[in-house]
Amino acid sequence: MIKNKKIHDAILDLRDKTTLRAKSLLVTVYGDAILPHGGAVWLGSLINLVEPLGLSERMVRTAVFRLSKDDWLSATQIGRRSYYKLTEIGRRRFETAHRRIYASPHRSWNGEWLMVIANKSNLTQEQRDQLRREFLWLGFGNVAPNVFAHPAADIRAVRQIIQDMDVEENVVTMAARADRHSGTAPHRNMVHSSWDLDQLAQDYNHFLDAFRPLYHALSAEGTIDPESSFLVRTLLIHEYRRIMLRDPMLPDDLLHADWPGSTAATLCANLYRLCAPSAERHLESLLETAEGPLPDASPYFFNRFGGLESGMSSPPLQESLTL
């Protein structure tokens, strides 16, 4: 398929304006593209896949080495070829992120807060710092020293962190229900004092400015060549992941009506559906495993963004995205 030069140049311009650190970009590629196909590929084919994203062979080799040291990847040598696959810890990290990145942006609130309280006296400073990092990554607000709260947290991920750190006896989790007579105003005020939503809103608006024109251009084109589809899909998820994993995923009830995160999620879902089929063909043509060609995507892949199978024909944008 012949590339549309105007669209291809727009993709490269977007690539050049996006912060693409090799290690972080490979995390995106593994989580979005490789994990659904088994999670293990030949390093040489990975190098070929990401070269159009501006990563040299040396950059990729350095990044996978560092990811291996950080227990994201493990290597297997077969002859002269190295195959890198996700570790179990890496898989769990992706599963937690997956539930947030590819989920519906609309969240109702039942009036409950999940509270996590760390026993300061029985934990080392290193443990307290790690707990803080882990819970902030999950979207919790640090509402008081050693006290974290969230109105719609993933309790499975919370329990996994506490178990992995072996601090079950020194961390208390509890559910707190809002007083129905207090209304939502105090909760909104606490949300804005515990999370930097202004910066997050600004980042979402930049995301919309970058990808909305590309969506309309690709929609008008009708068909997209496989490599361009892969580049768009990867840049899209890389940038969305960078912002979205800092999003506390607060319920709609506690956010302003014009919150741009919901619009960004709609744009991401529609652009992803538009690129997914052709991008999959590109992955299958380039990536190799120890057993040969890339296996078919796992069924869960098609559940992303509420369902890819029913949306492969490029659904229309919601009115909130119309220019």
Side-chain angles (χ1 to χ4, degrees):
M1 184 182 297
I2 300 175
K3 296 178 182 177
N4 180 308
K5 186 178 186 305
K6 183 177 180 180
I7 289 177
H8 190 67
D9 288 346
I11 294 170
L12 295 182
D13 182 60
L14 181 61
R15 179 199 69 182
D16 294 340
K17 291 179 179 178
T18 304
T19 302
L20 297 176
R21 296 183 178 87
K23 184 177 172 182
S24 178
L25 184 60
L26 289 185
V27 168
T28 296
V29 171
Y30 260 91
D32 181 68
I34 297 176
L35 183 57
H37 293 274
V41 293
W42 171 44
L43 178 59
S45 64
L46 176 63
I47 290 170
N48 292 333
L49 179 71
V50 299
E51 188 274 333
L53 288 164
L55 300 189
S56 67
E57 177 177 348
R58 180 179 179 181
M59 293 167 69
V60 175
R61 290 184 181 277
T62 300
V64 296
F65 173 76
R66 291 175 177 169
L67 287 169
S68 298
K69 288 191 67 176
D70 292 341
D71 207 16
W72 281 91
L73 301 175
S74 63
T76 299
Q77 194 76 25
I78 301 178
R80 299 180 63 183
R81 289 188 168 193
S82 296
Y83 297 84
Y84 281 85
K85 70 175 182 179
L86 288 166
T87 63
E88 285 305 310
I89 291 177
R91 283 178 177 272
R92 286 205 302 269
R93 288 168 177 167
F94 279 126
E95 287 167 3
T96 299
H98 185 279
R99 289 194 290 269
R100 299 181 63 187
I101 295 170
Y102 303 100
S104 167
H106 304 292
R107 301 167 291 276
S108 60
W109 188 42
N110 62 3
E112 286 191 356
W113 289 83
L114 179 62
M115 312 292 292
V116 180
I117 305 169
N119 186 343
K120 179 179 178 180
S121 60
N122 289 349
L123 295 171
T124 66
Q125 184 63 51
E126 182 179 355
Q127 288 175 315
R128 295 198 299 272
D129 290 344
Q130 184 178 349
L131 280 171
R132 183 177 184 276
R133 288 193 300 270
E134 294 285 355
F135 286 121
L136 291 183
W137 187 83
L138 282 184
F140 276 76
N142 201 171
V143 298
N146 303 301
V147 179
F148 307 90
H150 197 287
D154 184 346
I155 185 61
R156 292 172 296 178
V158 171
R159 290 170 180 160
Q160 189 67 57
I161 287 171
I162 295 172
Q163 179 181 328
D164 288 347
M165 290 186 60
D166 194 23
V167 292
E168 293 98 326
E169 295 184 0
N170 293 299
V171 177
V172 175
T173 60
M174 62 178 67
R177 178 167 288 279
D179 180 357
R180 61 187 177 87
H181 297 293
S182 67
T184 58
H187 298 275
R188 284 184 180 145
N189 290 337
M190 186 171 77
V191 159
H192 282 274
S193 65
S194 301
W195 289 273
D196 188 358
L197 297 182
D198 291 338
Q199 180 61 55
L200 195 61
Q202 183 178 328
D203 292 341
Y204 273 130
N205 282 321
H206 287 161
F207 173 86
L208 289 167
D209 290 343
F211 287 95
R212 183 185 270 144
L214 190 55
Y215 175 85
H216 289 302
L218 293 176
S219 297
E221 178 68 10
T223 57
I224 317 167
D225 69 274
E227 181 181 284
S228 295
S229 295
F230 166 74
L231 295 177
V232 172
R233 174 174 143 181
T234 302
L235 292 170
L236 174 77
I237 290 299
H238 185 69
E239 192 64 11
Y240 186 64
R241 179 179 71 89
R242 185 186 68 81
I243 303 169
M244 198 270 182
L245 290 183
R246 292 186 285 108
D247 188 335
M249 301 293 287
L250 301 171
D252 295 341
D253 311 59
L254 301 180
L255 296 168
H256 296 303
D258 60 349
W259 175 245
S262 299
T263 307
T266 300
L267 174 61
C268 185
N270 282 307
L271 186 48
Y272 194 92
R273 292 191 187 104
L274 184 64
C275 296
S278 187
E280 285 296 291
R281 291 195 293 273
H282 186 64
L283 295 172
E284 292 165 0
S285 69
L286 281 185
L287 291 178
E288 298 179 39
T289 72
E291 289 75 33
L294 200 67
D296 292 340
S298 299
Y300 81 83
F301 169 77
F302 299 98
N303 294 328
R304 289 177 172 179
F305 297 113
L308 296 180
E309 289 179 314
S310 61
M312 288 297 196
S313 59
S314 176
L317 284 171
Q318 295 181 3
E319 288 187 9
S320 60
L321 292 179
T322 303
L323 295 178

